[in-house]
Amino acid sequence: MEALLVIDSHTHFLEKGDFSVVKKNAIHLVEVFKENKLPVIAVEHIDDKTNKPFLLDRVIHKNADKIYSKNKPSAFKDTDLQQYLISLGVTELIIIGFNMEYCILFNAIIANELGFTVTVIEDACATVNNSETYEMPGLDINDFVSTVLHWSDEVEVLMIDEYV
C-alpha cells in the first residue's frame, strides 16, 4: 500500500516565493490519496526559537491522517513513523514538500534504507534556497537533487503527470 508523506509544507515557506505550482500539485496529490482512501502523513518542523511547530499549510493540515513533528531533517528519527507506516501495511512512500536538498533528500534516502519503495514527485517539491545560498551560480536545486536520487536507482523520481 502507498502513503503520501508531505514534509514541511509550512506557510512561511510557501510565502517566500512563487510556489503556486508546487502547492497546487501537492494539494492535488492529497486529494488523490484521500479519494483512494490512502494515508496522508504530514511532517512539521519544530522552530528552534519557540520550540513550537511551524504552521503547516491549512489544506495539508486539515487532510493529514497523522502529523509528525521533528527538529532534525529526518521524520523517522526519534518518532514512531516507521512503526506507524508498517502497522498500516505501507510499503511504498510518495514524498513531497520542502526543502528538496534537506528534508526531502534525507527522508527519501532513510525511507529507502528502512525498506520502503520511495518515489519523490519533483514538481510537488521545492526549496526556499537558491544558487546564491550555496554560492553555485546556475544551480537548479530541485533538478540537481532529483537527478542524484534518480541516478541512484534506489529512489524513483517522477513528475506529477507521470505519477497520477
Side-chain angles (χ1 to χ4, degrees), residues 25-143:
N25 290 343
I27 290 170
H28 179 62
L29 285 167
V30 167
E31 291 168 348
V32 167
F33 272 72
K34 296 307 272 185
E35 286 169 14
N36 289 294
K37 297 182 177 30
L38 294 170
V40 174
I41 296 108
V43 178
E44 59 190 9
H45 194 83
I46 304 289
D47 183 351
D48 294 336
K49 294 175 186 145
T50 66
N51 205 32
K52 294 180 182 174
F54 290 112
L55 292 176
L56 288 171
D57 173 76
R58 75 174 174 76
V59 175
I60 302 296
H61 189 273
K62 180 179 82 172
N63 286 288
D65 296 303
K66 188 154 183 166
I67 299 173
Y68 279 89
S69 298
K70 65 177 180 57
N71 60 4
K72 303 283 185 212
S74 173
F76 293 93
K77 186 171 180 66
D78 301 326
T79 71
D80 71 344
L81 177 57
Q82 179 184 11
Q83 293 78 16
Y84 177 69
L85 294 169
I86 290 169
S87 75
L88 295 177
V90 172
T91 57
E92 300 176 45
L93 276 181
I94 309 305
I95 299 178
I96 63 173
F98 285 83
N99 278 323
M100 180 63 115
E101 75 280 22
Y102 286 120
C103 298
I104 301 301
L105 179 63
F106 270 79
N107 284 283
I109 292 168
I110 292 166
N112 174 262
E113 288 294 311
L114 292 173
F116 296 97
T117 300
V118 178
T119 302
V120 171
I121 307 300
E122 183 177 353
D123 52 351
C125 294
T127 184
V128 296
N129 299 306
N130 58 38
S131 62
E132 291 174 19
T133 306
Y134 300 108
E135 299 176 358
M136 299 175 79
L139 175 67
D140 180 329
I141 295 169
N142 260 30
D143 188 51

